[in-house]
Amino acid sequence: MKRIAKSTLAAVGLDVRLSRNVAQSQVAAWQQKQDALWAPFLKHLDIRTIIDVGANTGQFAELIHRHCPDANIIAFEPLPVCHADLRRALAEFPDSQLISSAVGNAPATAEMNASQFTPCSSLLAGTDLLGEDYPDAAVTETIEVPVVRIDDALQSLPLLDDVLVKFDVQGFEIPAMEGAAETLAKARVVVCEVCFFRRLYQGQPLFDEIYAKLKDLGFTYMGNAEQHKRKSDGRIVEADAIFERLGA
């Protein structure tokens, strides 16, 4: 009956698809768009180790797996609510590991502002601008999480060349990098979420400070992959900035 109905509707120019097929098509189109944005930054590299700092539920892991299918991944994520989905994403990687901690420049236990929109969770308190485009981001509760230095956490783990380090730590980028000096010395690529002219978190560094920090460490700014436009005026306010150590 379904086939007859679809044939009848098709005869008059109507295409009827199951809702799950529409959803799958939308996901495939979104992935294709993402891949087109990231490919220019990755296709010339042979990334073998990915250090995903602020892994959330594995969004970046799933993206990077399509470009670097043979890489292993070490993921840092302090939010317990994210761990089940993250473990499922990491299952696609050989020898993947989850380190259930936040990162900083000294080992500690700290209070994290856990956002209802989990990617916006931070060790820093939000400013009045947090939630400007996504109101759920400003709804938070405080939880206690361990904080580790990346260098300490990776001390006994082998890092296969080439290394990519991704920071998505919602304003805590500079302390995270300070605790990763040895790791960054081995890295070929750094991906860092940046804000350009507005601070969503108290004390958050803007792009210029992150650029200066990574330039001092020998990285060249190569451009942005994905960018986020402000809903109110269309200005680019956030982006995934790519930095590469050239000549390596």
Side-chain angles (χ1 to χ4, degrees):
M1 288 294 294
K2 290 180 181 178
R3 183 161 41 207
I4 294 172
K6 288 185 71 173
S7 298
T8 302
L9 291 168
V12 293
L14 297 177
D15 178 20
V16 177
R17 292 177 290 175
L18 294 174
S19 59
R20 66 173 177 270
N21 292 336
V22 175
Q24 289 171 352
S25 177
Q26 291 172 338
V27 169
W30 177 72
Q31 289 179 343
Q32 188 176 23
K33 181 179 178 180
Q34 269 197 319
D35 290 345
L37 293 171
W38 286 88
F41 299 104
L42 299 171
K43 64 183 179 182
H44 63 290
L45 300 169
D46 183 22
I47 300 297
R48 301 295 303 281
T49 298
I50 297 157
I51 301 167
D52 188 353
V53 185
N56 199 246
T57 58
Q59 301 95 318
F60 184 76
E62 292 172 347
L63 163 69
I64 202 70
H65 180 61
R66 297 196 295 273
H67 296 275
C68 311
D70 297 324
N72 67 336
I73 189 165
I74 303 163
F76 290 81
E77 176 51 55
L79 293 179
V81 69
C82 295
H83 288 167
D85 287 339
L86 179 55
R87 289 186 189 280
R88 280 192 288 270
L90 294 179
E92 299 296 324
F93 288 81
D95 303 320
S96 65
Q97 296 194 45
L98 168 58
I99 299 173
S100 304
S101 299
V103 301
N105 54 10
T109 299
E111 290 187 343
M112 170 164 272
N113 299 290
S115 174
Q116 195 171 90
F117 180 55
T118 57
C120 286
S121 302
S122 177
L123 290 173
L124 302 177
T127 69
D128 291 341
L129 293 175
L130 184 64
E132 180 182 41
D133 285 348
Y134 302 101
D136 287 352
V139 181
T140 63
E141 65 173 326
T142 302
I143 65 171
E144 195 171 83
V145 299
V147 180
V148 299
R149 296 175 70 252
I150 292 173
D151 285 346
D152 294 343
L154 302 183
Q155 192 170 25
S156 62
L157 300 178
L159 303 183
L160 303 176
D161 293 339
D162 285 340
V163 177
L164 182 152
V165 185
K166 167 248 174 184
F167 291 100
D168 189 352
V169 291
Q170 305 305 304
F172 216 64
E173 294 83 9
I174 299 302
M177 291 177 187
E178 290 173 347
E182 296 174 12
T183 302
L184 290 172
K186 302 173 185 176
R188 179 68 182 274
V189 177
V190 173
V191 176
C192 188
E193 186 181 62
V194 297
C195 284
F196 292 101
F197 64 87
R198 63 174 188 172
R199 289 180 171 85
L200 301 182
Y201 304 92
Q202 296 178 22
Q204 177 183 18
L206 296 180
F207 170 81
D208 287 351
E209 188 176 346
I210 292 171
Y211 167 82
K213 176 75 172 177
L214 289 171
K215 183 178 180 180
D216 286 346
L217 293 175
F219 292 93
T220 299
Y221 172 59
M222 304 299 291
N224 302 328
E226 295 183 75
Q227 300 185 145
H228 171 67
K229 294 182 180 180
R230 193 178 191 180
K231 290 182 178 179
S232 60
D233 57 18
R235 286 188 291 174
I236 296 171
V237 292
E238 297 171 83
D240 291 320
I242 314 296
F243 298 82
E244 184 177 344
R245 190 185 303 280
L246 299 178

